[in-house]
Amino acid sequence: MRHSRFALSLLSATLLLTVPAYAAPVTTLDRIDGSVSTREPVALPADAILTVELLDVSKADAQAGRLARLSLPGGGRQLPLPFELPYYRADVQPGHRYSVRATLTSSGGALLYTTTQHVAVLTQGAGKQVQLELQQVQPRTAATLENTYWKLTAIGALPVQVQANEREAYLLLLDGRVSGSSGCNKLMGTYTQQAPNGLRIGPLASTRMACLPALADQETALTAALARATGYRIDGNALDLMAGDAVLARFEARYFK
């Protein structure tokens, strides 16, 4: 793949090589050659940006370390898109595992396509040429009341408080049972739904841990709001607990990988 490539000839491309602080200064560069494609033909948005990263994935329980990153304009181009990703040879340790990841984003940062599997390179028998397949990222639909982790963001007009070393305030409703936290004590109890958007929460019980004054006040306000709630509304990933037309508490859906 030594023919001329758009990847290194574009002046607008940006390249980030991360050199660990402990590494001695080096100038020897090597490169990974590859291309990205999708399973089905797609028309890329005019503002699409291809980003390719070289990652150290040796530790399964830790965040991958990034050795190199290349960003290229992808809009208006045909797939597959070739690339050359330079990296410093001295950064590569024989006993570690490395992979290449690619994403296509819009200029506003929205994730459009991504690789979904680690593609091994450089060590443990892996080479320096890769073919990456991108999968389209499906936008999330509106969250549902039940079986969603609802993080508390406000009680009335007051934003929620979070203290260091304390769990955030949240609710989880499933099969008539509610569990959660006030930001200090755990909450548990029952709920009932009435069509179309009626909701009654309680009675609730809680643990009896001593709370800091601010969290104690928040817990009192939250339990009062839960007891008063007669309905709810969901807009995308936002949940409002209501008493008539009044908003008692606001939550947002949280998703975990």
Side-chain angles (χ1 to χ4, degrees):
M1 304 179 98
R2 293 189 178 273
H3 50 77
S4 175
R5 294 178 180 272
F6 80 91
L8 293 182
S9 63
L10 289 170
L11 295 178
S12 57
T14 59
L15 170 65
L16 169 64
L17 291 172
T18 305
V19 182
Y22 57 80
V26 294
T27 57
T28 304
L29 286 173
D30 208 334
R31 74 171 187 238
I32 295 168
D33 293 321
S35 64
V36 296
S37 61
T38 56
R39 186 168 299 179
E40 302 293 337
V42 297
L44 297 180
D47 63 346
I49 299 171
L50 171 66
T51 299
V52 185
E53 297 175 297
L54 174 60
L55 304 174
D56 185 334
V57 293
S58 304
K59 297 180 180 180
D61 59 347
Q63 184 175 359
R66 186 173 66 194
L67 277 71
R69 180 176 183 267
L70 179 71
S71 291
L72 305 164
R77 300 184 179 275
Q78 297 294 319
L79 296 173
L81 294 175
F83 65 85
E84 294 176 352
L85 177 61
Y87 65 93
Y88 288 117
R89 288 181 183 174
D91 290 348
V92 178
Q93 302 181 48
H96 286 208
R97 294 183 298 111
Y98 300 92
S99 72
V100 175
R101 177 175 66 193
T103 59
L104 270 171
T105 60
S106 69
S107 59
L111 181 61
L112 307 175
Y113 293 83
T114 184
T115 50
T116 58
Q117 296 180 335
H118 288 298
V119 179
V121 290
L122 301 180
T123 59
Q124 302 185 18
K128 296 186 288 186
Q129 293 189 347
V130 293
Q131 293 182 341
L132 306 177
E133 183 175 281
L134 298 169
Q135 300 289 333
Q136 188 172 14
V137 176
Q138 298 296 331
R140 288 193 175 103
T141 57
T144 58
L145 177 68
E146 296 184 296
N147 202 26
T148 296
Y149 181 103
W150 290 110
K151 175 186 174 181
L152 179 67
T153 58
I155 304 174
L158 299 177
V160 70
Q161 299 186 52
V162 179
Q163 296 289 337
N165 302 317
E166 296 287 351
R167 182 161 191 174
E168 64 188 11
Y170 75 98
L171 284 182
L172 178 63
L173 299 92
L174 181 62
D175 296 333
R177 304 293 298 180
V178 58
S179 59
S181 170
S182 67
C184 177
N185 280 294
K186 294 180 180 179
L187 305 175
M188 61 212 80
T190 61
Y191 70 93
T192 55
Q193 281 185 267
Q194 300 90 28
N197 292 309
L199 177 66
R200 294 283 186 177
I201 298 176
L204 294 179
S206 69
T207 54
R208 298 290 185 177
M209 293 178 56
C211 307
L212 295 173
L215 288 183
D217 292 343
Q218 176 173 287
E219 181 173 278
T220 300
L222 175 60
T223 54
L226 297 177
R228 290 181 55 202
T230 58
Y232 70 95
R233 66 185 178 198
I234 294 176
D235 183 7
N237 290 311
L239 166 68
D240 291 342
L241 289 185
M242 315 288 295
D245 294 331
V247 177
L248 302 176
R250 296 183 184 275
F251 299 80
E252 66 178 23
R254 289 282 302 276
Y255 300 95
F256 302 93
K257 296 181 179 180

